[in-house]
Amino acid sequence: MKLHSQYLKLHSHHGGPPETAVTLDELALTLGCTHRNALHVIRKMADLHWITWTPSRGRGRRSKLVFLAAAEDIALESMKQAISSKDISSALEGIRGHARTSSLQDTLQGWLLAYFGHHAEMHSDKRIDTLRLPVTQQLHTFDPLYMNLLAESFVASHVFDGLVGRSGERGKVIPGLAHAWETDESRTAWTFHLRKEVLFHHGKVLTAEDVVYSFERMMSTSQRTLYSYIFKEIREVKALNTSTVRILLKKPNELFLPFLCTSRAAVVPRDLQSIGENMFGRRPVGTGPFKVVEMNKDTCVLEVFPYYFQGRAHLDRVEIIYVPWSLKPESPETSSAFHIIPNPSAAGAGSLSRIHSESFVRKFVTCNTKKKGPLSDPLLRAELLSCLQETPREPFRHAVEPPAATLQIATIPQYTGDAEYIAARLTQHGYSCKVLSVSPEEFKGPIRLKSDLIVFSLLRDQDEQLRLYDLYLTLSQHIEPRTRASIEGRLHLISREPDSAVRAEGFKVIEDTLTQDHQLHILYERPAETAYLPSVRGVTFNSQGWVDLRHLWFPPEL
C-alpha cells in the first residue's frame, strides 16, 4: 500500500499533462526520500505499468514521466488491499488522503462499507456469524464509573448486567441479576435476591459480595459521573448471605429503581482490583452476553459468552470500528450512536429498511445567569434567544443593544456543529461570539460557569426522567439563586413521587419555567433511526434506543 500512496503523491504533484519533464532530484523531494530510493520506486512503478520513465543522462537533466494509471484506480486498489488485510486505519487514511473529489470519496467509501455488515465464515464445519459496526465516537473505556460517551454505554450494555433491567414496554422494570426484589414501607430499604450460578467472563460465580463491592466503589468515587445524585444517597450496601443484598437509602427516591437499570449501575467482579482499573476499562469483565477480547484506538472486538445466564446470543462476534465521520448521508446527530450498515453489493440504498426506536435526541442551549454579565438582563436574553428561532427575523432594531463583550459558547466536540450554528446566527444579528469546545470531562468542571451560553443534549429514551433530573440539577448550577431554589425544590418533590406521569408533569413545569424566563431554548428534536437490510432478523431496542445485539441473527443462504 506504500507504493500506492507514493504513486498518488507523485500524481498529485506532477500529474495533469499526458507527460511531464522532471528531474530525479525533484521526484526525490516529492517522495521525501534519497535520490537512490526515488529511482527504485520509479522502476517498481514502471514494472507494474503504472508509468513510463525515460531517463536522461546527466545529473540535473530532465527525464520524461508519463502516468499510465488513473489516480482513482490506484486509490481503489489501495483501499481494497487495506480492507482485505483488515487494516482499517490505513483504509480510513486512504479516504482522507486520496479523496480529492466527491465522486472518488463516494467510491472509496463504498469499498469501506463493504467491510461492514454481516459476514459468515465456516470454521471446522461451524458457521461463525460476525457483525461489523461503525461508531462515530472513539471508544476510550467501558468501566461503568468512567464512561462518558453513548457508544461506550452501548458496548457496556452488552458486557455487563445490572440487578434489574428494562423491557420493551416503556417504564417496566424486569429482573436482571436479581430474580426478585422488595422494599419496605419507608421505601428506603431495598432487598434483592440474586440468581444462582451466574458466571462472570473470567469464570468466577457471582455472589452478593460482588454487588456490595460494585456499589461501594460507586459511592466512594470522586469521579464526576452521570446519576451520582442517586448513588451518593445510598447509606449502606450489605450482603445478607451469598445470594441476598440489602441496599439502604438515606431518604426515599423513586428514581432509584430506574437507576439500577442503567449501565452506570452495572455489577463488576470484586477482584477487579487485581486486574487494575486502567486495564479493566479496556478489558472489562462482566456477566453480559458478550465479552471484550480486543480493544485499541480504532477497534473493539466482542465475542459471544456462551454461558450467559439468559441464553446464548445468536451472533458469534461483533467488531465495532471507530469511523471519524458518518458513512451515510444522514447526519450522525440524528441517528443512534451506530447503525447497521449492510453490504451495498447485496442491495441498494432503496432496499434498506428503516426503523425508529422510541428515543429522540434533543439539542438545546441555556444561558448562564449566575455569571455577572449581559445575560443577567432578561430582555437581552429574550432578544438573543429569539435570533435562534427558525422563522425569519428582521435585523436587530430594538432598544436592547447587543453587548460589546464577546459571548462564550461552551460545548463538547460532538456538539460543536450546533454551537457554531448558534454563533453564526447570533453574529448575523450583531453579537460577537466564540465557541469553546472541551472534552466531556472538562465540560463537567468550572468551564460552564465561565461561559455565557452552554449547548447541551438530551437523549429522550426510557431513562429520560433520570436524565432530566441530572440535567436540571446541572443547569441549576449556572442559574441565578431564586430560580435555582425553585428548581431544586421541585426536583426534591419529583424524587419522592411514585407516579411516573406526575413526575413527568413536574419536569414539564421546570422546562416551561426556564423557557418563559428565556434561560432555555430548544434548538431541535429528532428521532433516533436505524437502517438495516431486510435480511436482518431480531431487531429490537434496549432502554437507550440502541439495537440489542443479543437478539440479532441472520438467516443462512439456502
Side-chain angles (χ1 to χ4, degrees):
M1 287 181 287
K2 183 177 180 181
L3 190 64
H4 294 78
S5 297
Q6 290 170 327
Y7 179 86
L8 292 167
K9 190 176 289 185
L10 287 181
H11 192 280
S12 176
H13 282 78
H14 304 287
E19 68 176 56
T20 183
V22 62
T23 67
L24 200 55
D25 288 336
E26 290 172 337
L27 295 182
L29 182 63
T30 301
L31 294 172
C33 63
T34 65
H35 185 280
R36 181 179 179 180
N37 285 340
L39 186 58
H40 177 67
V41 169
I42 289 297
R43 286 172 176 168
K44 287 178 66 174
M45 292 180 184
D47 290 342
L48 292 170
H49 304 292
W50 292 358
I51 64 170
T52 59
W53 171 251
T54 308
S56 296
R57 293 187 177 276
R59 191 173 184 89
R61 298 193 63 181
R62 294 191 171 272
S63 302
K64 185 170 69 173
L65 174 64
V66 179
F67 291 95
L68 302 178
E72 289 79 1
D73 294 337
I74 298 300
L76 279 175
E77 191 173 324
S78 175
M79 283 286 296
K80 289 180 187 179
Q81 290 187 14
I83 290 173
S84 63
S85 64
K86 300 185 179 181
D87 188 353
I88 299 301
S89 296
S90 294
L92 295 175
E93 286 302 320
I95 289 181
R96 279 193 284 261
H98 309 326
R100 291 180 295 278
T101 65
S102 58
S103 61
L104 177 56
Q105 175 149 342
D106 290 342
T107 306
L108 294 177
Q109 288 196 160
W111 282 105
L112 185 58
L113 285 171
Y115 181 78
F116 291 103
H118 171 247
H119 299 264
E121 297 176 333
M122 297 299 296
H123 290 283
S124 302
D125 296 326
K126 181 181 178 181
R127 176 173 132 148
I128 304 298
D129 286 296
T130 298
L131 181 63
R132 298 190 183 113
L133 299 173
V135 293
T136 56
Q137 297 174 340
Q138 192 165 23
L139 303 172
H140 301 287
T141 180
F142 303 128
D143 188 324
L145 274 187
Y146 300 104
M147 298 183 301
N148 282 314
L149 304 175
L150 290 176
E152 293 170 346
S153 293
F154 162 67
V155 175
S157 70
H158 292 91
V159 174
F160 298 101
D161 290 292
L163 292 172
V164 292
R166 295 279 195 184
S167 71
E169 184 180 341
R170 196 169 186 88
K172 184 178 180 181
V173 177
I174 60 174
L177 294 174
H179 66 85
W181 62 92
E182 62 259 357
T183 186
D184 66 347
E185 289 185 2
S186 70
R187 298 185 71 78
T188 58
W190 293 78
T191 305
F192 296 88
H193 305 280
L194 305 181
R195 299 175 191 265
K196 295 181 180 179
E197 302 299 320
V198 173
L199 289 178
F200 282 100
H201 296 155
H202 61 348
K204 179 182 171 296
V205 176
L206 169 79
T207 71
E209 292 297 337
D210 296 298
V211 179
V212 172
Y213 171 77
S214 300
F215 279 84
E216 288 183 343
R217 181 172 180 253
M218 273 193 294
M219 294 159 60
S220 62
T221 184
S222 59
Q223 187 79 7
R224 293 187 293 263
T225 64
L226 188 66
Y227 310 141
S228 60
Y229 64 90
I230 290 184
F231 61 75
K232 292 297 185 183
E233 290 296 324
I234 297 175
R235 179 159 57 90
E236 182 185 16
V237 185
K238 184 177 182 181
L240 304 184
N241 53 50
T242 58
S243 61
T244 310
V245 177
R246 178 164 293 160
I247 301 177
L248 301 179
L249 305 181
K250 297 174 183 177
K251 59 186 179 183
N253 190 331
E254 296 301 328
L255 294 174
F256 173 67
L257 195 61
F259 163 71
L260 297 184
C261 300
T262 68
S263 297
R264 195 68 68 180
V267 174
V268 302
R270 67 179 181 273
D271 56 351
L272 177 154
Q273 289 177 318
S274 64
I275 302 172
E277 287 206 347
N278 290 335
M279 180 61 71
F280 185 78
R282 304 182 70 81
R283 291 288 190 279
V285 175
T287 59
F290 292 92
K291 57 184 179 181
V292 176
V293 296
E294 179 185 341
M295 182 179 175
N296 55 49
K297 63 185 180 68
D298 295 316
T299 306
C300 170
V301 178
L302 307 178
E303 286 186 356
V304 69
F305 183 52
Y307 310 108
Y308 184 51
F309 69 93
Q310 298 200 63
R312 186 194 192 280
H314 303 299
L315 290 170
D316 300 291
R317 184 179 173 94
V318 180
E319 298 177 6
I320 300 168
I321 316 295
Y322 167 59
V323 179
W325 66 85
S326 178
L327 287 173
K328 296 186 72 65
E330 290 82 11
S331 166
E333 297 294 347
T334 63
S335 62
S336 301
F338 77 98
H339 50 258
I340 300 174
I341 295 186
N343 188 333
S345 63
S351 66
L352 290 179
S353 297
R354 295 179 186 273
I355 188 169
H356 290 265
S357 68
E358 295 184 7
S359 300
F360 295 80
V361 176
R362 172 180 287 185
K363 292 290 179 62
F364 52 91
V365 60
T366 65
C367 299
N368 180 5
T369 55
K370 188 175 182 180
K371 174 185 175 182
K372 291 183 179 180
L375 296 190
S376 59
D377 182 350
L379 292 178
L380 190 141
R381 291 200 306 271
E383 183 64 34
L384 180 145
L385 295 180
S386 71
C387 299
L388 304 179
Q389 295 174 359
E390 289 298 324
T391 53
R393 181 180 176 281
E394 290 295 319
F396 199 85
R397 295 176 179 172
H398 302 289
V400 182
E401 289 293 335
T406 298
L407 299 177
Q408 180 168 289
I409 306 173
T411 191
I412 60 176
Q414 291 88 337
Y415 314 146
T416 301
D418 296 293
E420 290 175 345
Y421 164 80
I422 292 169
R425 290 290 294 262
L426 294 180
T427 299
Q428 292 175 1
H429 296 282
Y431 295 88
S432 174
C433 303
K434 69 174 181 178
V435 173
L436 180 63
S437 178
V438 297
S439 69
E441 194 58 38
E442 290 179 279
F443 191 69
K444 296 174 186 176
I447 192 69
R448 289 179 289 108
L449 297 178
K450 298 177 182 178
S451 300
D452 300 284
L453 297 167
I454 304 102
V455 178
F456 281 96
S457 177
L458 174 70
L459 180 61
R460 298 189 59 198
D461 54 14
Q462 290 196 46
D463 297 330
E464 179 181 4
Q465 292 194 350
L466 283 166
R467 298 180 189 279
L468 282 171
Y469 196 103
D470 190 82
L471 172 68
Y472 290 133
L473 202 60
T474 301
L475 292 187
S476 68
Q477 296 173 7
H478 51 77
I479 290 176
E480 48 84 22
R482 178 183 56 83
T483 307
R484 175 175 182 169
S486 173
I487 290 175
E488 290 178 342
R490 191 162 293 277
L491 288 176
H492 174 73
L493 295 176
I494 287 172
S495 69
R496 303 292 291 269
E497 175 55 57
D499 189 324
S500 176
V502 177
R503 292 200 299 267
E505 291 174 5
F507 286 122
K508 187 65 169 65
V509 170
I510 295 176
E511 177 185 313
D512 291 342
T513 299
L514 293 173
T515 303
Q516 292 165 10
D517 198 32
H518 311 294
Q519 302 202 56
L520 171 73
H521 175 76
I522 297 172
L523 296 168
Y524 60 82
E525 180 171 300
R526 295 169 185 166
E529 185 180 69
T530 298
Y532 61 97
L533 276 179
S535 61
V536 180
R537 302 287 193 270
V539 178
T540 58
F541 297 99
N542 65 13
S543 62
Q544 283 78 38
W546 305 317
V547 169
D548 194 333
L549 297 178
R550 75 190 70 190
H551 300 305
L552 286 184
W553 65 284
F554 297 82
E557 295 182 4
L558 302 177

